[in-house]
Amino acid sequence: FSFFGDRGERVGLGSPSAAGAAAAPSAAALSAAMGAMAAKHVNQMAFCPPNPTYRKEDVNMWLDTDRGNRIPAFHIRRGFPLTVLVSHANAEDLGLVLQYWAYMSQQLQVDVFAYEYSGYGHATGSPCEANLYSDARAALKILVDGFGL
């Protein structure tokens, strides 16, 4: 068995034997390597962040997630009694949806809180499922604990 990384280098799953042949990798090492490679490729296919479509200096709020990432957020506050928490679709960032939600805020007569995903727009971190959940928790936490909603 030989596994190779993105740059063609051999991934260390076992060590060469005295005869020069590679030792068979353990089941745990093989499973870990396959899992890591699969997760990387799934994340690359599942999450498609575009280049940022908004300026960093236009962000009106930054949130720190429980996974150590910093994500931008926009709070459209018009004094309506309800607030909608917006998680945008994949392959877009806040800059692509902000105008729409500003319009919908008026139409629906709700305030809107929209946040960015890790690895999207100007957010730190990388896009993956665990970060996505962490980002949503950070947004909900600021609405509940910070704004008392």
Side-chain angles (χ1 to χ4, degrees):
F1 270 104
S2 290
F3 289 95
F4 297 91
D6 292 341
R7 294 183 203 98
E9 75 280 7
R10 182 161 184 254
V11 176
L13 295 176
S15 57
S17 68
S26 72
L30 182 58
S31 177
M34 295 291 286
M37 288 183 347
K40 177 181 175 187
H41 291 293
V42 166
N43 285 338
Q44 286 175 341
M45 289 186 296
F47 300 100
C48 308
N51 290 327
T53 62
Y54 58 95
R55 297 177 325 158
K56 200 173 193 177
E57 55 270 14
D58 291 335
V59 174
N60 69 7
M61 186 179 302
W62 291 88
L63 308 177
D64 294 315
T65 72
D66 56 21
R67 291 181 52 87
N69 295 321
R70 191 162 174 81
I71 59 172
F74 290 92
H75 196 181
I76 302 168
R77 297 181 82 174
R78 299 187 178 187
F80 294 120
L82 296 176
T83 299
V84 173
L85 175 59
V86 172
S87 301
H88 65 69
N90 194 5
E92 63 186 20
D93 70 357
L94 285 176
L96 294 172
V97 299
L98 200 54
Q99 289 270 46
Y100 172 78
W101 283 107
Y103 170 78
M104 290 305 294
S105 170
Q106 281 293 66
Q107 296 303 305
L108 299 173
Q109 296 192 5
V110 296
D111 288 350
V112 172
F113 189 90
Y115 65 96
E116 193 67 273
Y117 302 133
S118 295
Y120 282 64
H122 294 289
T124 64
S126 59
C128 69
E129 186 177 3
N131 282 342
L132 180 87
Y133 297 139
S134 177
D135 302 339
R137 282 191 302 270
L140 184 59
K141 182 175 175 48
I142 193 70
L143 286 176
V144 172
D145 296 345
F147 294 107
L149 301 177

